[in-house]
Amino acid sequence: MGEADKEKASRQYDWSIRPCILYKDEYDDCTSIKARFHQYFIFGESIDCNQWKIDYDNCYQWQKYKSEEAYAKLIQSEKQRRINRLQSHYQNNVWERREKPPENWNAPLPEWMEKNFENSYLQIRSKEMKEGTEQVSPLNSKCTIL
């Protein structure tokens, strides 16, 4: 395995690293008075927010100094965060998981539903886009900036 292959293999989780400022924002949010009140209401106690601070420090070390140790810790933390987030999904034994979508997943909508959506904004825009008659103009914009 060449040096480039080793580098590529070791960086396969780069996508999971967030911008460093987001780790700081998460820590600040987690330690805010509003968040602490919410944590107490939901869990009956304050939760530990230190992992966000550790992740911010590791991200900073990785971005500024290219510290391999900080990179490894940050990737491990993101993997653990993902496992914790998906734990309920994998432990779910109520719904049966599908291997493929249902046979008729893209069947046409019933006639009564088509009739209800006939003049909806989304239907009109979809028709315009399909026909290529879409009119994009600042004068036709429904957006208002206050």
Side-chain angles (χ1 to χ4, degrees), residues 27-78:
Y27 176 74
D28 291 343
D29 182 53
C30 185
T31 57
S32 71
I33 292 172
K34 180 180 175 184
R36 292 298 187 188
F37 181 74
H38 180 74
Q39 293 161 11
Y40 184 74
F41 181 77
I42 298 298
F43 305 112
E45 61 186 6
S46 295
I47 62 173
D48 182 20
C49 301
N50 288 330
Q51 190 59 47
W52 289 113
K53 177 75 170 129
I54 293 167
D55 288 346
Y56 171 71
D57 293 339
N58 286 330
C59 185
Y60 181 79
Q61 292 296 319
W62 165 243
Q63 291 295 323
K64 183 133 178 125
Y65 304 110
K66 297 298 181 200
S67 167
E68 292 296 325
E69 181 181 351
Y71 176 84
K73 287 179 181 178
L74 189 56
I75 293 298
Q76 185 57 40
S77 175
E78 285 294 342

Side-chain angles (χ1 to χ4, degrees), residues 122-145:
L122 292 177
Q123 181 70 20
I124 293 168
R125 293 293 292 163
S126 174
K127 185 178 177 185
E128 286 176 358
M129 289 172 68
K130 287 177 184 173
E131 293 173 353
T133 61
E134 189 175 14
Q135 296 179 0
V136 180
S137 166
L139 298 175
N140 293 343
S141 175
K142 305 284 190 263
C143 179
T144 304
I145 300 175

Side-chain angles (χ1 to χ4, degrees), residues 98-114:
R98 291 191 284 226
E99 297 296 322
K100 59 183 182 170
E103 295 297 324
N104 63 348
W105 71 271
N106 61 348
L109 294 174
E111 189 176 319
W112 64 269
M113 195 178 285
E114 287 282 351

